[in-house]
Every structure is written in C-alpha cells, then in structure tokens.
Amino acid sequence: MKETLDSGELDAYFALVTAGDLVQRAVSAQCSEHGLTPLQFSILARLLDAKDGLRMSDLADTLVVSRSGLTYQIGQLEKAGFVVRESSDSDSRCVVAQLTSTGRERVQKTFPGHVALVREKFIDLLSPEEVATIRTALEKVVASLQ
Amino acid sequence: MKETLDSGELDAYFALVTAGDLVQRAVSAQCSEHGLTPLQFSILARLLDAKDGLRMSDLADTLVVSRSGLTYQIGQLEKAGFVVRESSDSDSRCVVAQLTSTGRERVQKTFPGHVALVREKFIDLLSPEEVATIRTALEKVVASLQ
DNA sequence: TAGCACTAGTTCAAATTTGAATCAATAGTT
DNA sequence: AACTATTGATTCAAATTTGAACTAGTGCTA
C-alpha cells in the first residue's frame, strides 16, 4: 500500500469533503425558508418513510449526529409540534419518534424546493454515468465507515 | 427539467452527503489524536501551502466556515502558539494568518496518519477510474456552488 | 433469581458555530 | 476633498453540538 496521495487523489478527497459541505450549506439555506434546520429536515424526511416511527438510536446513526444531539433536536421538533415521542412496547428502554400530521405537512411542503435544489446544483451538472459512479463508489465508502 | 429525483439520483445525493460526513468524522478522530480539531487541522494544512500566509476571508471561504467562526478558531490556534496574526501591508483592513514553526511541526506530524486514513477509507476502496470521476464530477459541483 | 455487562436515552457543562451588529479601512462618485 | 457604499474582521448573544456522567431497562450466566 502506498503511503502518499498523488495530486489527483488529494483533489478527489478535497472535492468530496467540500462538495458535501457546500451542498449541505445550500440545503441549509433552502430549509430555513421553511423554518427548519437541515438536520431537522433530515429527521422529518426519514420519519416520512417510516410509518411506525423510528428509534432514537436508529435516527442518530443514519444521520451522523450524536445521541445527545438527537435528543436535543427531537426536543425542538416536539416543542414545534412536528413529532411525538412514544416508548416502545417491545423494549421499554427505547423511544420511538413519530411524525405528527403537522410535521408531515411541513416536510411535504419543504420537499419540492429541496428536490429542485439537488437537481439544479448536483444532478443536472453531471452525466448519468457520473451520477451512477458517484453513487456506487460513495456507497462503498459509506459502508466501510459505518 | 424534471422535477423529481429518481431513486438512483436520490441515492447518489445521500451517498455524497453521508460519505462527506463520515469521512470528516473519521478525520476528526484521527486529528484529535494529535490534539487538533478537524477544522484546526484544515486551517493549518492550508497555511502549510501558503508561504506568505492567508487572509482571514480567504481561509473562511475555502474552508466552509463563517467569518466569526474562523476568528474564533484562529484565536484558539494563536493561543496554542500555532499561528500568528499580522496585518497586511497593502490593505490594513486585512489580517493575514501565518504558521509558526511550532504550528508547522504539529501539522507535519499529523499528516502521515491523515494520509493513511484517506487512503484506507476512501482511495483504496475505489478503482482509479472511480476516483477520477469523483474528482472531476464533484469539482463541477463545487464550482457551481462557490 | 441474583449479579453483571450491555444497551437506550437523557441531562449537564463546556466548546463550538452562527448571524447580527459594530468598527475600521478602502474604493468609487460627485 | 467629502460622501457613500463596500469590504474585512471582530465582538456579542443565542443556538447548537458534543462527550462524559447518569438512570433505567434488558439479557446473559452462574
């Protein structure tokens, strides 16, 4: 195994980190138009797919945020009326977060702008082959790091 | 222009954001072995390439951090003796951050582990073609967002 | 079933990050 | 030169994020 990075490899690494950051920053601006932080939007978006809610830990793990950070954010979302906490039947240690109808409404209202942004700033700049490669390649990276 | 994202496009987007986050998290762990936060390491690494130092704004812009956040971090690095601030000759509004010899030492000591990590968790998982595609594709994304 | 390790979630204090307001210096216009 | 707009950096208060305790519940094992 080599012990250095050539300049192309280094550039690929910088591009990955910077693109990830900048996309998130753009998403952040769009979310705030709807009164959400990007993390809050991600949480609500995940819950939209989860008919029976999601456990705190599962949310924290998929969203790359600490447990305590998630506790805080779910607290904020609960105050805002977008989610409710329920304790799990099967395992009473677990807390399950559920979307309320208000929360569902809010995330659905935020979605179109979000999609448009991702399309404009990311997908439409690239060829389908590039998008496909990014997906398969970066999924390998994600798998190895999780 | 389409107004939706198909599932492959959505996965590519998630992979980008998640991979960026996870790589940064791994980098964060490695940096802390050397008593640096990832942001501090990035700052020092940029300064390593800049013989004459860098202006605060330039640093902030390339590092995806707010101006005030950078002021804070440069303050920390200055306290630690890794950088010094000088005011620019040409424009006395500007502040130029310079690496000290202590700072240079520290960042150089941190580098090998950093390189090894990027290689192990990113570059070596992928083919050279994948790395090249990620680089050119994501540089387009970065350019459009900056 | 008692003891022990492990898991889930929260609380707490400390560190970081941000945006808004501010101050200082430059550039452009009349 | 005087005015104004812009730019660069900092300060400040508020919000967020984190890791280290801590509490409570589960499951294993003797």
Side-chain angles (χ1 to χ4, degrees):
Chain A
M1 163 151 11
K2 283 203 296 181
E3 273 157 34
T4 59
L5 296 168
D6 68 37
S7 109
E9 289 166 342
L10 201 58
D11 287 343
Y13 163 58
F14 283 147
L16 170 63
V17 171
T18 309
D21 274 350
L22 287 172
V23 166
Q24 291 198 56
R25 174 178 280 196
V27 165
S28 170
Q30 192 266 327
C31 286
S32 74
E33 291 173 17
H34 295 270
L36 297 173
T37 68
L39 180 54
Q40 290 171 346
F41 174 73
S42 307
I43 293 170
L44 297 180
R46 297 270 168 180
L47 291 176
L48 196 55
D49 289 333
K51 195 72 196 107
D52 298 326
L54 288 171
R55 289 164 50 226
M56 299 294 279
S57 304
D58 291 341
L59 272 172
D61 292 343
T62 57
L63 293 173
V64 194
V65 69
S66 67
R67 305 297 166 95
S68 52
L70 184 69
T71 294
Y72 174 77
Q73 283 300 342
I74 292 288
Q76 297 297 106
L77 290 170
E78 203 170 29
K79 265 198 259 172
F82 296 152
V83 305
V84 289
R85 270 187 254 232
E86 294 168 7
S87 64
S88 162
D89 305 329
S90 52
D91 184 340
S92 54
R93 285 171 304 181
C94 299
V95 172
V96 174
Q98 278 277 8
L99 212 51
T100 63
S101 57
T102 316
R104 173 168 295 106
E105 221 172 90
R106 176 64 61 97
V107 66
Q108 282 172 341
K109 200 181 297 182
T110 308
F111 240 109
H114 185 77
V115 166
L117 177 70
V118 171
R119 189 158 265 303
E120 180 190 345
K121 300 297 186 185
F122 178 41
I123 301 295
D124 283 349
L125 300 174
L126 309 177
S127 70
E129 294 73 31
E130 286 175 319
V131 173
T133 299
I134 286 176
R135 177 195 167 181
T136 58
L138 294 187
E139 282 180 347
K140 283 187 268 185
V141 174
V142 170
S144 95
L145 282 167
Q146 255 172 355
Chain B
M1 156 144 26
K2 284 205 295 181
E3 273 156 33
T4 59
L5 295 168
D6 69 35
S7 108
E9 289 166 342
L10 201 57
D11 287 342
Y13 163 59
F14 283 147
L16 170 63
V17 171
T18 309
D21 274 350
L22 287 172
V23 167
Q24 292 198 55
R25 174 178 281 196
V27 165
S28 169
Q30 192 266 327
C31 286
S32 75
E33 292 172 17
H34 295 270
L36 297 172
T37 67
L39 180 53
Q40 290 171 346
F41 174 72
S42 307
I43 293 170
L44 297 181
R46 297 271 168 181
L47 291 176
L48 196 54
D49 289 333
K51 195 72 196 108
D52 298 326
L54 289 170
R55 289 164 50 226
M56 298 295 278
S57 303
D58 291 342
L59 272 172
D61 292 344
T62 58
L63 293 174
V64 194
V65 69
S66 66
R67 306 298 168 94
S68 52
L70 184 69
T71 294
Y72 173 77
Q73 283 300 342
I74 291 288
Q76 297 297 106
L77 290 170
E78 202 170 30
K79 264 197 260 174
F82 296 151
V83 306
V84 288
R85 270 186 255 231
E86 294 168 5
S87 64
S88 162
D89 305 328
S90 52
D91 183 341
S92 53
R93 285 172 303 183
C94 300
V95 172
V96 174
Q98 278 276 8
L99 212 51
T100 62
S101 58
T102 316
R104 172 167 296 105
E105 221 172 89
R106 176 64 63 97
V107 67
Q108 283 173 342
K109 200 182 297 182
T110 309
F111 241 109
H114 185 78
V115 166
L117 177 70
V118 171
R119 187 157 269 302
E120 179 191 344
K121 301 296 186 186
F122 178 42
I123 301 295
D124 283 348
L125 301 173
L126 309 178
S127 71
E129 293 74 28
E130 286 175 319
V131 173
T133 299
I134 285 176
R135 178 196 167 180
T136 57
L138 294 187
E139 282 180 348
K140 283 187 267 186
V141 174
V142 170
S144 94
L145 283 167
Q146 256 171 356

